[in-house]
Amino acid sequence: MRDHSPRLPTSPGFWRSPLRGPWFTSVLGLVLLVGITVLFVTGLLSYAAYNPGLSPLNDKTPDKGILGFYLFAWPTGPHWLYRLTQGVHVTLGVTLIPVLLAKLWSVVPKLFALPPARSLAHALERISLLLLVGGALFEFVTGVLNVQLDYLFPGSFYPLHFYGAWVFFAAFVAHAVLKAPAAVRNVRRMREGREAPAGEGLAAPRPDAATVSRRGALWFVGGGSLLLFGTTAGRSFDGPLRHTALLAPHGGADPGSGPNGFQINKTAAYAGIDRTETREDAWRLVVTGRTGTVRLSRGELLELPQHSAALPIACVEGWSTSDQWWRGVRLRDLAALVGHDGDPPDVLVESLQRHGAFRRAALRANQVADPRSLLALRVNGEDLSPDHGYPARIIVPAAPGVLNTKWVARLTFGDL
């Protein structure tokens, strides 16, 4: 017998799954409505945490224009703030991947519907769908690659992900405004035991026999998200899940054990640190401010008043350490050495690091003034290891890890 089944995806009969339909798509869409909104907000907060308006050194998207309208001085409290916001951003983004893929699968027939445009309004809707789907795939793919420390796209991650997020979210908002009311109605009908309407090309006109219910399919998607959550979340928070975070980045090299045995993002060898530069007889910290410049050896720094702070390191890739006990000289005390008594100003921090981003970075005055902001010399009762920044490193509450500069060589206090 001759097979008359449609062979082209532009034919409605080509799509035969009985799972597709308004209710299934609506439930997934409402989950993404909440989840993606949280992702967007926490992504903007991550960008603000770099204080890009403070110094060009901190701003990796210098042509942002009006897209930087919301920027504010990133606070130093609570000290786990960036650990929380970026942990949520990365963990939620990974967790939503099964939901996003299921949602795209549920609406794929509409991408092939003919004619491409029935009216100007319909054409604009199709264009917004292309931006929505393309933007979603781009943001999730680039984000996952960056989290896995395997970023392959040409160009810097920072501007690509930043501008891509605005394009994607604009299309997402337009789509949500058009579709969210219908999605809520479809879910409400099903809860009341009434069948949702056939929808615009979502349900198959000649579906195959069902092998799983739509609720079962949702449980399957939810199980996938739960599995990704369990294998990702632990690197952002303390507790039993920390040992199950198989898919989350663990930092760079193995940190070993002991007081310095916590995650490392970049090693001294990677940063090009020459050990002859960090010897006690060779290294000097150069501090410049209103009254001039002073040079301090590590021994002289240890003779200054020492203070301790329990702070984590939290990285943009989503991993973080638990609170470590840091001990060293307060940044505001170093500012006072060069004439900035009272309210200290901003500071430019420069590292011995030879290459890579953020070998020079700026901190705002509120970060310098915080009594927990230190030029750390020791951690957990022991001298810093070379990979953790010996002879001295910055540690600031609530700041992204890259602003906690290691192998510090120079501090320049003043308005930036």
Side-chain angles (χ1 to χ4, degrees):
M1 181 179 294
R2 188 175 179 181
D3 185 6
H4 294 284
S5 61
R7 297 183 179 277
L8 295 176
T10 52
S11 171
F14 179 86
W15 308 99
R16 305 292 296 277
S17 174
L19 295 178
R20 288 190 179 92
W23 181 79
F24 187 70
T25 299
S26 297
V27 171
L28 296 172
L30 291 175
V31 172
L32 289 174
L33 177 63
V34 176
I36 288 177
T37 300
V38 173
L39 282 181
F40 185 68
V41 171
T42 52
L44 293 184
L45 289 176
S46 178
Y47 181 56
Y50 283 75
N51 284 321
L54 171 63
S55 167
L57 295 172
N58 291 23
D59 191 1
K60 300 304 178 183
T61 55
D63 300 320
K64 60 186 176 296
I66 62 171
L67 298 182
F69 69 91
Y70 71 95
L71 293 174
F72 55 96
W74 187 250
T76 56
H79 72 276
W80 39 259
L81 179 61
Y82 189 73
R83 184 183 184 192
L84 173 66
T85 60
Q86 193 60 13
V88 168
H89 183 76
V90 171
T91 302
L92 180 60
V94 173
T95 301
L96 285 177
I97 289 175
V99 183
L100 175 68
L101 294 178
K103 176 66 161 62
L104 294 178
W105 173 86
S106 73
V107 299
V108 70
K110 298 195 69 173
L111 298 179
F112 294 92
L114 294 176
R118 296 190 297 270
S119 65
L120 178 60
H122 185 243
L124 293 175
E125 180 184 352
R126 293 296 293 273
I127 292 172
S128 71
L129 280 177
L130 289 175
L131 292 174
L132 180 66
V133 173
L137 293 175
F138 179 80
E139 286 298 290
F140 275 80
V141 169
T142 55
V144 168
L145 288 174
N146 189 64
V147 164
Q148 294 301 322
L149 311 176
D150 193 21
Y151 184 71
L152 302 176
F153 277 72
S156 171
F157 168 78
Y158 294 97
L160 289 176
H161 203 67
F162 177 81
Y163 296 128
W166 279 103
V167 172
F168 164 56
F169 197 72
F172 177 76
V173 169
H175 185 73
V177 169
L178 291 172
K179 300 298 183 182
V184 172
R185 288 195 298 270
N186 289 335
V187 173
R188 187 176 297 162
R189 286 192 186 98
M190 292 298 294
R191 291 183 62 184
E192 295 171 352
R194 295 184 291 139
E195 189 67 30
E200 299 178 0
L202 292 176
R206 292 187 300 147
D208 289 332
T211 57
V212 64
S213 68
R214 287 172 179 165
R215 291 184 186 276
L218 285 180
W219 278 108
F220 179 76
V221 173
S225 290
L226 184 62
L227 177 63
L228 290 179
F229 176 84
T231 52
T232 302
R235 282 292 154 178
S236 298
F237 309 100
D238 293 325
L241 283 178
R242 200 166 187 86
H243 302 290
T244 68
L246 304 176
L247 297 182
H250 294 212
D254 183 358
S257 58
N260 278 274
F262 53 95
Q263 291 99 318
I264 299 166
N265 59 344
K266 54 190 173 187
T267 65
Y270 169 84
I273 303 301
D274 187 338
R275 293 204 175 198
T276 61
E277 295 178 287
T278 61
R279 291 199 317 256
E280 177 71 26
D281 61 346
W283 180 83
R284 295 292 184 272
L285 174 71
V286 180
V287 184
T288 300
R290 180 184 296 147
T291 57
T293 297
V294 298
R295 289 173 172 81
L296 300 167
S297 68
R298 197 169 190 278
E300 290 170 327
L301 286 168
L302 287 168
E303 291 174 358
L304 295 175
Q306 302 290 296
H307 299 273
S308 297
L311 301 173
I313 296 174
C315 281
V316 70
E317 292 91 3
W319 65 266
S320 62
T321 71
S322 55
D323 288 355
Q324 310 295 320
W325 275 100
W326 307 90
R327 189 161 178 80
V329 183
R330 288 174 173 170
L331 293 183
R332 68 185 191 185
D333 292 343
L334 291 170
L337 288 178
V338 288
H340 297 285
D341 296 311
D343 293 332
D346 310 327
V347 63
L348 173 64
V349 184
E350 299 178 74
S351 172
L352 293 173
Q353 182 178 337
R354 291 289 185 271
H355 55 80
F358 292 102
R359 57 188 179 274
R360 302 171 70 216
L363 297 172
R364 281 193 183 277
N366 68 304
Q367 294 173 311
V368 176
D370 193 292
R372 297 165 296 177
S373 297
L374 304 176
L375 179 75
L377 306 172
R378 297 169 62 83
V379 63
N380 299 324
E382 186 177 273
D383 286 346
L384 297 168
S385 68
D387 288 338
H388 279 303
Y390 182 89
R393 69 169 297 161
I394 296 294
I395 188 72
V396 173
V402 292
L403 297 185
N404 292 311
T405 308
K406 298 194 285 190
W407 314 290
V408 175
R410 180 184 290 270
L411 299 174
T412 304
F413 292 94
D415 295 331
L416 300 178

